[in-house]
């Protein structure tokens, strides 16, 4: 089975721009979660989607948004980028309604200048 | 606030010996606990998990122990190998409707030397 894939792997954006990151979960997995990793804050939960619905949301501003498509692929969007948004963005998928084991993609390294 | 804590930022162990990584948590509502290994510039790799109804789970060289009364879990790696050198994250989930949200510790850098 192919693992979780994320595109792009690296991205450089300018402050004020917006960005869209993409995640394809493991085949058959219906839940996709997004995390932000920074040296100062560690791994922080952004949101989780299950069957195209946002099921959980972390404590991030409204500039961070996401969506999930009918094939379980997910995108996250960050608008009006700030320097502090520079981070590794990780997506994870899990299978089934009761599965708590999440499998991570390689991440997208976003640099905001 | 940090609900999952890994108080040792680093651990150094000789090859062949046991590595013990520790994790504490504060939220008694956590139902599931997981350990991940992470190399630089890669996503975390799932290692092993344990449900709160158990106190031990083994998978090959990896064993996780859970002490609910102390709100403490540990990961034992025996024997340790140089390829185990990585950052190890402890994570927890409350289950139920929040199953898809994991709370992570800050990680412990394990170095296994020959």
């Amino acid at each position: 089975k192919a693992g979780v894939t994320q595109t792009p792997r690296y991205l450089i954006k300018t402050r004020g721009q917006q960005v869209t990151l993409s995640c394809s979960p493991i085949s058959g997995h219906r839940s996709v979660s997004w995390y932000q990793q920074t040296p100062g804050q560690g791994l922080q939960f952004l949101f989780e989607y299950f069957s195209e619905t946002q099921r959980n949301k972390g404590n991030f501003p409204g500039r961070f948004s996401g969506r999930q498509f009918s094939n379980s692929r997910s995108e996250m969007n960050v608008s009006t980028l700030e320097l502090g948004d520079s981070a590794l963005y990780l997506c994870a998928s899990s299978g089934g309604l009761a599965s708590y084991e999440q499998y991570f993609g390689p991440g997208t390294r976003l640099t905001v200048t | 606030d940090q609900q999952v804590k890994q108080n040792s930022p680093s651990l150094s162990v000789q090859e062949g010996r046991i590595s013990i990584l520790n994790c504490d948590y504060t939220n008694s509502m956590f139902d599931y606990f997981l350990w991940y290994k992470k190399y630089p510039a890669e996503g975390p790799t799932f290692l092993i998990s344990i449900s709160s109804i158990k106190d031990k789970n083994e998978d090959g060289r990896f064993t996780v122990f859970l002490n609910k009364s102390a709100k403490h879990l540990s990961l034992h790696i025996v024997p340790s190998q140089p390829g185990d050198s990585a950052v190890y994250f402890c994570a927890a989930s409350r289950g139920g409707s929040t199953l898809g949200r994991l709370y992570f510790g800050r990680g412990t850098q394990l170095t296994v030397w020959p």
Side-chain angles (χ1 to χ4, degrees), chain A residues 9-10 33 35 37 40-43 45 48 55-59 88 90 97-106, chain B residues 2 32-34 36 38 41-46 49-51 89 93 96-102 104-106:
Chain A
R9 291 292 312 277
Y10 303 91
S33 300
Y35 296 84
Q37 185 183 24
Q41 297 296 320
L43 275 151
F45 174 79
E48 182 225 359
R55 187 162 65 170
N56 289 283
K57 188 176 189 307
N59 300 323
L88 180 66
L90 293 157
L97 189 62
S99 175
Y100 57 92
E101 294 177 357
Q102 295 186 14
Y103 297 87
F104 283 81
Chain B
Q2 194 75 18
Y32 305 100
F33 303 88
L34 306 89
Y36 288 87
K38 188 178 185 301
E42 293 183 14
T45 300
F46 170 74
S49 65
I50 188 167
S51 162
F89 289 95
S93 168
S97 62
T98 63
L99 197 63
R101 176 175 186 163
L102 292 179
F104 281 87
R106 291 293 182 94

Side-chain angles (χ1 to χ4, degrees), chain B residues 66-81:
Chain B
L66 175 62
N67 183 332
K68 283 182 62 179
S69 60
K71 293 191 177 69
H72 177 84
L73 65 154
S74 60
L75 174 69
H76 293 209
I77 306 174
V78 185
S80 302
Q81 300 172 354

Side-chain angles (χ1 to χ4, degrees), chain A residues 71-88:
Chain A
N71 61 358
S72 293
R73 191 178 70 84
S74 177
E75 289 181 348
M76 68 163 280
N77 183 278
V78 188
S79 62
T80 319
L81 284 165
E82 299 177 359
L83 295 179
D85 297 333
S86 293
L88 180 66

Side-chain angles (χ1 to χ4, degrees), chain A residues 9 11 21 35-39 42 60 64 82-90 107-112:
Chain A
R9 291 292 312 277
L11 206 49
L21 312 181
Y35 296 84
Q36 180 196 65
Q37 185 183 24
T38 59
F60 279 80
F64 292 81
E82 299 177 359
L83 295 179
D85 297 333
S86 293
L88 180 66
Y89 289 89
L90 293 157
T108 294
R109 169 69 64 185
L110 172 65
T111 302
V112 182

